[in-house]
Amino acid sequence: KQEVTQIPAALSVPEGENLVLNCSFTDSAIYNLQWFRQDPGKGLTSLLLIQSSQREQTSGRLNASLDKSSGRSTLYIAASQPGDSATYLCAVRDSGYALNFGKGTSLLVTP
Amino acid sequence: GAVVSQHPSWVICKSGTSVKIECRSLDFQATTMFWYRQFPKQSLMLMATSNEGSKATYEQGVEKDKFLINHASLTLSTLTVTSAHPEDSSFYICSAVKGAGGPDTQYFGPGTRLTVL
């Protein structure tokens, strides 16, 4: 069974810093990997989707990389802002439609 | 766009009662919907896969007689928590796959917070 781990569990940084969130998964035979954002008590917003054949995806200040062979992905956030404060979830799809989620990294960006 | 709604957004009920949660795809048809459960500071755990017109597929450890799923139309799936107990208190989130767009076009609802007293 696929297991997804996210490190760190929580992170607090001052505004303007660049930061990296980490995700690892145990079974490298994945179809794709997604990064989501979840605000308190809210649903999920998809940020970036990386297919298994891709190495990275970028959207604005966000960059996600994927090293399938080592079972790792990173989400890089540049020039962090207080509005980036949320929980970031990594999810892996290995077969079928369902996603395997990590526990998330809770990010707080202070002004 | 692709919008998924859930109703209610939060519900409080007494132990032993049943609660129905609706998941609707507002502007697209969804032959497949998923139900997830999220406990505080935990990851989303898939409970079941709901397919329109057929029985839901439950994940190991999820009681199908306790969590009844009905996907009667291409825009609506319902999750009924029967004889709810305090340990069922959780955040329930649904997602819907948009038509033939493939499983990557999966859109999530805003979630329903269930508190069982």
Side-chain angles (χ1 to χ4, degrees):
Chain A
K1 182 175 171 14
Q2 180 77 266
E3 292 187 8
V4 181
T5 303
Q6 291 187 244
I7 295 174
L11 182 63
S12 179
V13 300
E15 181 177 8
E17 275 202 8
N18 303 323
L19 56 99
V20 175
L21 308 182
N22 297 290
C23 173
S24 62
F25 45 94
T26 55
D27 186 347
S28 61
I30 67 170
Y31 191 82
N32 61 41
L33 182 146
Q34 287 193 66
W35 284 92
F36 291 88
R37 170 184 174 138
Q38 184 178 30
D39 292 286
K42 303 292 185 180
L44 277 65
T45 301
S46 179
L47 299 174
L48 290 165
L49 168 69
I50 310 177
Q51 300 293 350
S52 62
S53 59
Q54 298 176 323
R55 299 283 292 183
E56 66 177 348
Q57 282 287 334
T58 298
S59 176
R61 295 182 293 109
L62 305 179
N63 176 277
S65 67
L66 173 64
D67 184 344
K68 194 174 70 168
S69 61
S70 67
R72 296 178 187 274
S73 175
T74 62
L75 178 66
Y76 176 82
I77 303 177
S80 58
Q81 303 171 357
D84 295 331
S85 299
T87 295
Y88 291 81
L89 297 170
C90 170
V92 168
R93 180 188 157 213
D94 45 19
S95 64
Y97 285 1
L99 301 175
N100 299 287
F101 285 87
K103 292 183 179 181
T105 293
S106 178
L107 173 64
L108 176 64
V109 181
T110 56
Chain B
V3 180
V4 177
S5 70
Q6 284 185 237
H7 178 79
S9 55
W10 60 269
V11 57
I12 301 174
C13 69
K14 293 182 178 180
S15 184
T17 61
S18 294
V19 175
K20 179 184 286 188
I21 302 171
E22 293 184 348
C23 176
R24 291 182 185 273
S25 54
L26 298 184
D27 52 0
F28 66 97
Q29 294 184 331
T31 56
T32 301
M33 292 184 176
F34 299 99
W35 286 96
Y36 295 85
R37 178 169 54 183
Q38 185 180 33
F39 291 108
K41 299 190 184 302
Q42 299 295 314
S43 62
L44 277 75
M45 298 299 295
L46 178 67
M47 298 176 65
T49 302
S50 171
N51 293 297
E52 188 267 337
S54 63
K55 290 184 178 181
T57 303
Y58 291 82
E59 294 299 299
Q60 190 173 8
V62 177
E63 300 175 58
K64 62 180 182 181
D65 294 331
K66 181 171 184 59
F67 299 98
L68 302 179
I69 292 173
N70 185 291
H71 194 158
S73 77
L74 289 172
T75 59
L76 174 64
S77 176
T78 60
L79 169 68
T80 301
V81 183
T82 63
S83 187
H85 291 284
E87 57 265 30
D88 299 323
S89 298
S90 186
F91 193 56
Y92 293 86
I93 300 179
C94 72
S95 69
V97 177
K98 186 174 181 180
D104 297 333
T105 49
Q106 189 176 152
Y107 299 92
F108 285 81
T112 296
R113 173 76 59 192
L114 171 63
T115 301
V116 184
L117 302 177

